[in-house]
Amino acid sequence: MLSLLKSMPGAIELGLIYALMALGVYITYRILDFPDLTVEGSFTTGGGIAMILITNGASPWVATIAAFGGGAVAGAVTGLLHTKGKINGLLSGIIMMIALYSINLRIMGKPNVSVYGIDTIFTTSNVLVVVVIVVIVTKLLLDLFLHTDLGLSLRATGDNERMIRSFGSNTETTKIIGISLSNALVALSGGLFAQQSTAADISMGIGVIVVGLASVIIGEAIFGARKVFWATLAVVLGSIVYRIIITIAYRVEWLKASDLKLITAVIVIVALVVPTIQKSLKQKKLARKRSAELLTDPVQRGGGQ
Amino acid sequence: MLNISKVSKLFNPGTVDEKTALIGINLHLKPGDFVTVIGSNGAGKSTLMNIISGVMRPDAGNVEIAGDKITLLPEYKRSKWIGRVFQDPMAGTAPRMTIEENLAMAYKRGKPRTLLLGVTPAKRAFFKEQLSRLGIGLENRLGAKVGLLSGGERQALSLLMATYTKPQILLLDEHTAALDPARAELITALTDSLVHEMKLTTLMVTHNMEQAIRLGNRLIMMDKGRIILDVNEQRKKELTVAQLLNEFEQISGKKLADDRIVLG
Ligand SMILES: Nc1ncnc2c1ncn2[C@@H]1O[C@H](COP(=O)(O)OP(=O)(O)O)[C@@H](O)[C@H]1O
Ligand SMILES: [Mg+2]
């Protein structure tokens, strides 16, 4: 038990780093309604860019911002494939994910880059403090962006594309911007993760999409998601809760570390299925209540429009 | 204001499913004209609306608004001239966004969308004032999600969003057809007052004959992709529903067939 408590700060730290990735997934999956698999590649792109720049003597903060930029470019390409190339959304992401595998190897030069003994953004200060600040600032900036005129049209693109087009928004452009911003956040997360673990690995991005989805869904389930401010906060908290669940799962004796991805998949399935069941149960209950009301009160008319 | 010349549109050309939606349509609207459009099912009314708004491109012919030739302009670029309300009350608003956010998006019709805040205190006051014109209390619910509104309320909001930035052309495609009679009447009255107050050049498709005669200063009737009758303001004043149906039969040689037609 004590060792479990001791591992909590680490879990929270990791949850916060991955929260940036989850915010990216939130933009595509929830706002744009676009399941984007590019993130599996762009997470590594961010890690690779950060590590390579740092080992070549760049300032860690510059390297971190460059990671963000690299992800933005990758996302923009996916957006272009989907909008201008008219390629199915899921497929555009898969294509980019595969392409990024090669590109990431080119960036890193080898499958694994480590920076042991070189300064990262975490070297001189407490990791937790740095990530808390980065995550809060990013979250608030994202909230602000989603309330600007451009941000509103991005949200409307996922909510009612026909409507926002009838008001003069080029929805192809808003999609590209959204997917680009999403992957920029994912790559930023990858850049921080690589610096925290002092290494970037070609396979570090495998499975992040599911982790991102799990965080978004857990966050919504526990904390709700009405206004943008609460929705993004829920995503961040969801990411932390997810890490805590995983940390606890690690302690279960009959589970192996390699079962982790299966556990994540199960969490996502449960999180996706439970709300659907809840909703249909609620509907049925409401329907029963309404028909009972109508029976006892024949004067009262149905709900109407 | 709106000038449509020799516009034709075919669907699935050269196949067994070929449909002639519009053939050589000519239509000219003067500024401030309020034209009601009636016609049987499949007459091409919606296709005409879609061609004006740029959802579809004509196979032949031209569309001009205020002297600008816009035939090939994509939909999103024309919306700076055109306000639209759709038949489906769900189509004109974003349900997961608030009333004020929806209004803020409509406020920026056809203007560049930048990184400035969408809803500012000044804009909020303006939105409130505009919403109060609807007279259904939406001005007190600025922060409510649009998805929580009823169909009638959503359609009223759509109507305000489509008109309050004074578009050059307003297109209404059976925008009351999905509502129950009482709410349809409310939206019709709102439409009439908004169009008159702002002197909007309007094209309104309706399946309600009485409404088509009562509203506006001109009435056109469509059948099989053509405008078969064009009634001016003076004649319209004396027109009755019976005369109108009779006229349709005379010209087209059949009864006006539309199961949703309301005689008024
Ligand atoms: N997207 C489409 N694909 C094929 N045919 C269409 C399409 N839209 C409309 N049509 C056909 O074009 C004709 C005119 O349709 P429409 O303009 O919707 O009529 P209205 O609105 O007057 O009822 C109809 O025969 C209809 O079946
Ligand atoms: Mg129609």
PDB file of all heavy atoms in Angstrom, chain B residues 11-12 17 19-21 39-48 56 173-174 205 258 260, ligand 1:
ATOM      1  N   PHE B  11     -29.773  15.695 -63.081  1.00  0.00           N
ATOM      2  CA  PHE B  11     -29.143  14.736 -62.175  1.00  0.00           C
ATOM      3  C   PHE B  11     -28.934  13.429 -62.918  1.00  0.00           C
ATOM      4  O   PHE B  11     -29.763  13.039 -63.731  1.00  0.00           O
ATOM      5  CB  PHE B  11     -30.005  14.510 -60.941  1.00  0.00           C
ATOM      6  CG  PHE B  11     -29.998  15.678 -60.000  1.00  0.00           C
ATOM      7  CD1 PHE B  11     -31.112  16.493 -59.875  1.00  0.00           C
ATOM      8  CD2 PHE B  11     -28.862  15.982 -59.268  1.00  0.00           C
ATOM      9  CE1 PHE B  11     -31.108  17.585 -59.021  1.00  0.00           C
ATOM     10  CE2 PHE B  11     -28.848  17.077 -58.405  1.00  0.00           C
ATOM     11  CZ  PHE B  11     -29.974  17.871 -58.290  1.00  0.00           C
ATOM     12  N   ASN B  12     -27.835  12.761 -62.641  1.00  0.00           N
ATOM     13  CA  ASN B  12     -27.484  11.477 -63.268  1.00  0.00           C
ATOM     14  C   ASN B  12     -27.647  11.499 -64.789  1.00  0.00           C
ATOM     15  O   ASN B  12     -28.360  10.657 -65.342  1.00  0.00           O
ATOM     16  CB  ASN B  12     -28.342  10.351 -62.689  1.00  0.00           C
ATOM     17  CG  ASN B  12     -28.357  10.374 -61.182  1.00  0.00           C
ATOM     18  OD1 ASN B  12     -27.308  10.539 -60.552  1.00  0.00           O
ATOM     19  ND2 ASN B  12     -29.529  10.238 -60.602  1.00  0.00           N
ATOM     20  N   ASP B  17     -31.615   6.839 -64.554  1.00  0.00           N
ATOM     21  CA  ASP B  17     -32.111   7.685 -63.470  1.00  0.00           C
ATOM     22  C   ASP B  17     -32.098   9.168 -63.804  1.00  0.00           C
ATOM     23  O   ASP B  17     -32.260  10.002 -62.927  1.00  0.00           O
ATOM     24  CB  ASP B  17     -31.251   7.475 -62.211  1.00  0.00           C
ATOM     25  CG  ASP B  17     -31.579   6.159 -61.550  1.00  0.00           C
ATOM     26  OD1 ASP B  17     -32.723   5.711 -61.714  1.00  0.00           O
ATOM     27  OD2 ASP B  17     -30.684   5.592 -60.893  1.00  0.00           O
ATOM     28  N   LYS B  19     -32.702  12.818 -64.291  1.00  0.00           N
ATOM     29  CA  LYS B  19     -33.794  13.679 -63.814  1.00  0.00           C
ATOM     30  C   LYS B  19     -33.506  15.102 -64.230  1.00  0.00           C
ATOM     31  O   LYS B  19     -32.424  15.619 -63.979  1.00  0.00           O
ATOM     32  CB  LYS B  19     -33.856  13.637 -62.281  1.00  0.00           C
ATOM     33  CG  LYS B  19     -34.305  12.320 -61.709  1.00  0.00           C
ATOM     34  CD  LYS B  19     -35.599  12.479 -60.911  1.00  0.00           C
ATOM     35  CE  LYS B  19     -36.193  11.147 -60.530  1.00  0.00           C
ATOM     36  NZ  LYS B  19     -35.327  10.395 -59.608  1.00  0.00           N
ATOM     37  N   THR B  20     -34.455  15.718 -64.863  1.00  0.00           N
ATOM     38  CA  THR B  20     -34.285  17.114 -65.221  1.00  0.00           C
ATOM     39  C   THR B  20     -34.852  17.943 -64.086  1.00  0.00           C
ATOM     40  O   THR B  20     -36.062  18.030 -63.930  1.00  0.00           O
ATOM     41  CB  THR B  20     -35.050  17.432 -66.514  1.00  0.00           C
ATOM     42  OG1 THR B  20     -34.925  16.297 -67.373  1.00  0.00           O
ATOM     43  CG2 THR B  20     -34.508  18.655 -67.177  1.00  0.00           C
ATOM     44  N   ALA B  21     -33.979  18.526 -63.290  1.00  0.00           N
ATOM     45  CA  ALA B  21     -34.469  19.268 -62.133  1.00  0.00           C
ATOM     46  C   ALA B  21     -34.826  20.702 -62.505  1.00  0.00           C
ATOM     47  O   ALA B  21     -35.790  21.259 -61.989  1.00  0.00           O
ATOM     48  CB  ALA B  21     -33.433  19.243 -61.018  1.00  0.00           C
ATOM     49  N   GLY B  39     -45.189  24.792 -55.895  1.00  0.00           N
ATOM     50  CA  GLY B  39     -45.033  23.822 -56.972  1.00  0.00           C
ATOM     51  C   GLY B  39     -45.129  22.422 -56.434  1.00  0.00           C
ATOM     52  O   GLY B  39     -44.958  22.192 -55.229  1.00  0.00           O
ATOM     53  N   SER B  40     -45.398  21.467 -57.321  1.00  0.00           N
ATOM     54  CA  SER B  40     -45.562  20.086 -56.872  1.00  0.00           C
ATOM     55  C   SER B  40     -44.234  19.506 -56.395  1.00  0.00           C
ATOM     56  O   SER B  40     -43.174  20.092 -56.580  1.00  0.00           O
ATOM     57  CB  SER B  40     -46.125  19.253 -58.018  1.00  0.00           C
ATOM     58  OG  SER B  40     -45.442  19.581 -59.205  1.00  0.00           O
ATOM     59  N   ASN B  41     -44.330  18.354 -55.804  1.00  0.00           N
ATOM     60  CA  ASN B  41     -43.134  17.618 -55.367  1.00  0.00           C
ATOM     61  C   ASN B  41     -42.207  17.379 -56.536  1.00  0.00           C
ATOM     62  O   ASN B  41     -42.658  16.949 -57.589  1.00  0.00           O
ATOM     63  CB  ASN B  41     -43.564  16.251 -54.831  1.00  0.00           C
ATOM     64  CG  ASN B  41     -43.517  16.217 -53.325  1.00  0.00           C
ATOM     65  OD1 ASN B  41     -42.803  17.005 -52.727  1.00  0.00           O
ATOM     66  ND2 ASN B  41     -44.271  15.324 -52.727  1.00  0.00           N
ATOM     67  N   GLY B  42     -40.907  17.627 -56.341  1.00  0.00           N
ATOM     68  CA  GLY B  42     -39.956  17.342 -57.401  1.00  0.00           C
ATOM     69  C   GLY B  42     -39.969  18.362 -58.523  1.00  0.00           C
ATOM     70  O   GLY B  42     -39.396  18.130 -59.589  1.00  0.00           O
ATOM     71  N   ALA B  43     -40.596  19.523 -58.288  1.00  0.00           N
ATOM     72  CA  ALA B  43     -40.680  20.548 -59.332  1.00  0.00           C
ATOM     73  C   ALA B  43     -39.334  21.216 -59.580  1.00  0.00           C
ATOM     74  O   ALA B  43     -39.116  21.819 -60.620  1.00  0.00           O
ATOM     75  CB  ALA B  43     -41.718  21.589 -58.942  1.00  0.00           C
ATOM     76  N   GLY B  44     -38.432  21.107 -58.599  1.00  0.00           N
ATOM     77  CA  GLY B  44     -37.121  21.735 -58.748  1.00  0.00           C
ATOM     78  C   GLY B  44     -36.927  22.942 -57.852  1.00  0.00           C
ATOM     79  O   GLY B  44     -35.945  23.673 -57.978  1.00  0.00           O
ATOM     80  N   LYS B  45     -37.836  23.143 -56.907  1.00  0.00           N
ATOM     81  CA  LYS B  45     -37.752  24.321 -56.035  1.00  0.00           C
ATOM     82  C   LYS B  45     -36.471  24.289 -55.191  1.00  0.00           C
ATOM     83  O   LYS B  45     -35.729  25.273 -55.138  1.00  0.00           O
ATOM     84  CB  LYS B  45     -38.980  24.385 -55.112  1.00  0.00           C
ATOM     85  CG  LYS B  45     -40.312  24.340 -55.846  1.00  0.00           C
ATOM     86  CD  LYS B  45     -41.489  24.369 -54.898  1.00  0.00           C
ATOM     87  CE  LYS B  45     -41.627  23.176 -53.963  1.00  0.00           C
ATOM     88  NZ  LYS B  45     -41.965  21.905 -54.590  1.00  0.00           N
ATOM     89  N   SER B  46     -36.220  23.149 -54.556  1.00  0.00           N
ATOM     90  CA  SER B  46     -35.018  23.058 -53.710  1.00  0.00           C
ATOM     91  C   SER B  46     -33.750  23.133 -54.544  1.00  0.00           C
ATOM     92  O   SER B  46     -32.747  23.721 -54.120  1.00  0.00           O
ATOM     93  CB  SER B  46     -35.019  21.757 -52.908  1.00  0.00           C
ATOM     94  OG  SER B  46     -36.104  21.739 -52.030  1.00  0.00           O
ATOM     95  N   THR B  47     -33.798  22.541 -55.727  1.00  0.00           N
ATOM     96  CA  THR B  47     -32.628  22.596 -56.601  1.00  0.00           C
ATOM     97  C   THR B  47     -32.309  24.052 -56.965  1.00  0.00           C
ATOM     98  O   THR B  47     -31.146  24.461 -56.954  1.00  0.00           O
ATOM     99  CB  THR B  47     -32.874  21.769 -57.876  1.00  0.00           C
ATOM    100  OG1 THR B  47     -33.280  20.461 -57.492  1.00  0.00           O
ATOM    101  CG2 THR B  47     -31.627  21.682 -58.727  1.00  0.00           C
ATOM    102  N   LEU B  48     -33.345  24.823 -57.230  1.00  0.00           N
ATOM    103  CA  LEU B  48     -33.145  26.238 -57.535  1.00  0.00           C
ATOM    104  C   LEU B  48     -32.466  26.947 -56.360  1.00  0.00           C
ATOM    105  O   LEU B  48     -31.504  27.706 -56.534  1.00  0.00           O
ATOM    106  CB  LEU B  48     -34.501  26.885 -57.853  1.00  0.00           C
ATOM    107  CG  LEU B  48     -34.469  28.373 -58.216  1.00  0.00           C
ATOM    108  CD1 LEU B  48     -33.644  28.601 -59.483  1.00  0.00           C
ATOM    109  CD2 LEU B  48     -35.882  28.912 -58.404  1.00  0.00           C
ATOM    110  N   MET B  56     -24.984  23.466 -55.195  1.00  0.00           N
ATOM    111  CA  MET B  56     -24.802  22.779 -56.489  1.00  0.00           C
ATOM    112  C   MET B  56     -24.456  23.817 -57.537  1.00  0.00           C
ATOM    113  O   MET B  56     -24.753  24.994 -57.386  1.00  0.00           O
ATOM    114  CB  MET B  56     -26.110  22.129 -56.921  1.00  0.00           C
ATOM    115  CG  MET B  56     -26.615  21.072 -55.996  1.00  0.00           C
ATOM    116  SD  MET B  56     -28.309  20.682 -56.453  1.00  0.00           S
ATOM    117  CE  MET B  56     -28.660  19.469 -55.193  1.00  0.00           C
ATOM    118  N   ASP B 173     -36.442  27.673 -47.620  1.00  0.00           N
ATOM    119  CA  ASP B 173     -36.953  26.491 -48.326  1.00  0.00           C
ATOM    120  C   ASP B 173     -37.880  25.700 -47.402  1.00  0.00           C
ATOM    121  O   ASP B 173     -37.420  24.877 -46.612  1.00  0.00           O
ATOM    122  CB  ASP B 173     -35.787  25.627 -48.809  1.00  0.00           C
ATOM    123  CG  ASP B 173     -36.258  24.518 -49.751  1.00  0.00           C
ATOM    124  OD1 ASP B 173     -37.484  24.374 -49.937  1.00  0.00           O
ATOM    125  OD2 ASP B 173     -35.397  23.803 -50.294  1.00  0.00           O
ATOM    126  N   GLU B 174     -39.159  25.929 -47.497  1.00  0.00           N
ATOM    127  CA  GLU B 174     -40.164  25.255 -46.667  1.00  0.00           C
ATOM    128  C   GLU B 174     -39.760  25.263 -45.204  1.00  0.00           C
ATOM    129  O   GLU B 174     -39.824  24.246 -44.521  1.00  0.00           O
ATOM    130  CB  GLU B 174     -40.366  23.810 -47.153  1.00  0.00           C
ATOM    131  CG  GLU B 174     -40.720  23.746 -48.618  1.00  0.00           C
ATOM    132  CD  GLU B 174     -41.494  22.499 -48.980  1.00  0.00           C
ATOM    133  OE1 GLU B 174     -42.309  22.064 -48.150  1.00  0.00           O
ATOM    134  OE2 GLU B 174     -41.285  21.968 -50.078  1.00  0.00           O
ATOM    135  N   VAL B 205     -39.836  29.312 -50.505  1.00  0.00           N
ATOM    136  CA  VAL B 205     -40.596  28.157 -50.958  1.00  0.00           C
ATOM    137  C   VAL B 205     -41.571  27.769 -49.859  1.00  0.00           C
ATOM    138  O   VAL B 205     -41.193  27.715 -48.695  1.00  0.00           O
ATOM    139  CB  VAL B 205     -39.664  26.957 -51.245  1.00  0.00           C
ATOM    140  CG1 VAL B 205     -40.484  25.745 -51.677  1.00  0.00           C
ATOM    141  CG2 VAL B 205     -38.637  27.314 -52.298  1.00  0.00           C
ATOM    142  N   ASP B 258     -49.029  17.078 -54.161  1.00  0.00           N
ATOM    143  CA  ASP B 258     -48.073  17.150 -53.063  1.00  0.00           C
ATOM    144  C   ASP B 258     -48.849  16.841 -51.808  1.00  0.00           C
ATOM    145  O   ASP B 258     -49.740  17.586 -51.413  1.00  0.00           O
ATOM    146  CB  ASP B 258     -47.454  18.551 -52.987  1.00  0.00           C
ATOM    147  CG  ASP B 258     -46.337  18.596 -51.959  1.00  0.00           C
ATOM    148  OD1 ASP B 258     -46.386  17.802 -51.012  1.00  0.00           O
ATOM    149  OD2 ASP B 258     -45.426  19.409 -52.124  1.00  0.00           O
ATOM    150  N   ARG B 260     -48.215  17.141 -48.924  1.00  0.00           N
ATOM    151  CA  ARG B 260     -48.071  18.044 -47.793  1.00  0.00           C
ATOM    152  C   ARG B 260     -48.721  19.407 -48.056  1.00  0.00           C
ATOM    153  O   ARG B 260     -48.664  20.293 -47.232  1.00  0.00           O
ATOM    154  CB  ARG B 260     -46.596  18.233 -47.469  1.00  0.00           C
ATOM    155  CG  ARG B 260     -45.938  16.984 -46.892  1.00  0.00           C
ATOM    156  CD  ARG B 260     -44.449  17.172 -46.854  1.00  0.00           C
ATOM    157  NE  ARG B 260     -43.999  17.624 -48.177  1.00  0.00           N
ATOM    158  CZ  ARG B 260     -43.006  18.473 -48.371  1.00  0.00           C
ATOM    159  NH1 ARG B 260     -42.350  18.960 -47.373  1.00  0.00           N
ATOM    160  NH2 ARG B 260     -42.666  18.806 -49.592  1.00  0.00           N
TER     161      ARG B 260
HETATM  162  N1  LIG C   1     -29.149  15.002 -55.274  1.00  0.00           N
HETATM  163  C1  LIG C   1     -30.026  14.551 -56.191  1.00  0.00           C
HETATM  164  N2  LIG C   1     -29.739  13.454 -56.941  1.00  0.00           N
HETATM  165  C2  LIG C   1     -30.604  13.020 -57.876  1.00  0.00           C
HETATM  166  N3  LIG C   1     -31.780  13.582 -58.134  1.00  0.00           N
HETATM  167  C3  LIG C   1     -32.136  14.669 -57.425  1.00  0.00           C
HETATM  168  C4  LIG C   1     -31.281  15.203 -56.413  1.00  0.00           C
HETATM  169  N4  LIG C   1     -31.881  16.288 -55.877  1.00  0.00           N
HETATM  170  C5  LIG C   1     -33.054  16.422 -56.521  1.00  0.00           C
HETATM  171  N5  LIG C   1     -33.211  15.449 -57.451  1.00  0.00           N
HETATM  172  C6  LIG C   1     -34.341  15.311 -58.365  1.00  0.00           C
HETATM  173  O1  LIG C   1     -34.538  16.550 -59.008  1.00  0.00           O
HETATM  174  C7  LIG C   1     -35.905  16.866 -59.091  1.00  0.00           C
HETATM  175  C8  LIG C   1     -36.189  18.178 -58.382  1.00  0.00           C
HETATM  176  O2  LIG C   1     -36.015  17.995 -56.982  1.00  0.00           O
HETATM  177  P1  LIG C   1     -36.195  19.148 -55.893  1.00  0.00           P
HETATM  178  O3  LIG C   1     -35.522  20.358 -56.392  1.00  0.00           O
HETATM  179  O4  LIG C   1     -35.775  18.610 -54.610  1.00  0.00           O
HETATM  180  O5  LIG C   1     -37.789  19.340 -55.926  1.00  0.00           O
HETATM  181  P2  LIG C   1     -38.741  20.141 -54.942  1.00  0.00           P
HETATM  182  O6  LIG C   1     -37.917  20.813 -53.908  1.00  0.00           O
HETATM  183  O7  LIG C   1     -39.471  21.095 -55.825  1.00  0.00           O
HETATM  184  O8  LIG C   1     -39.678  19.129 -54.359  1.00  0.00           O
HETATM  185  C9  LIG C   1     -36.653  15.674 -58.509  1.00  0.00           C
HETATM  186  O9  LIG C   1     -37.034  14.840 -59.574  1.00  0.00           O
HETATM  187  C10 LIG C   1     -35.635  15.012 -57.637  1.00  0.00           C
HETATM  188  O10 LIG C   1     -35.870  13.638 -57.562  1.00  0.00           O
END
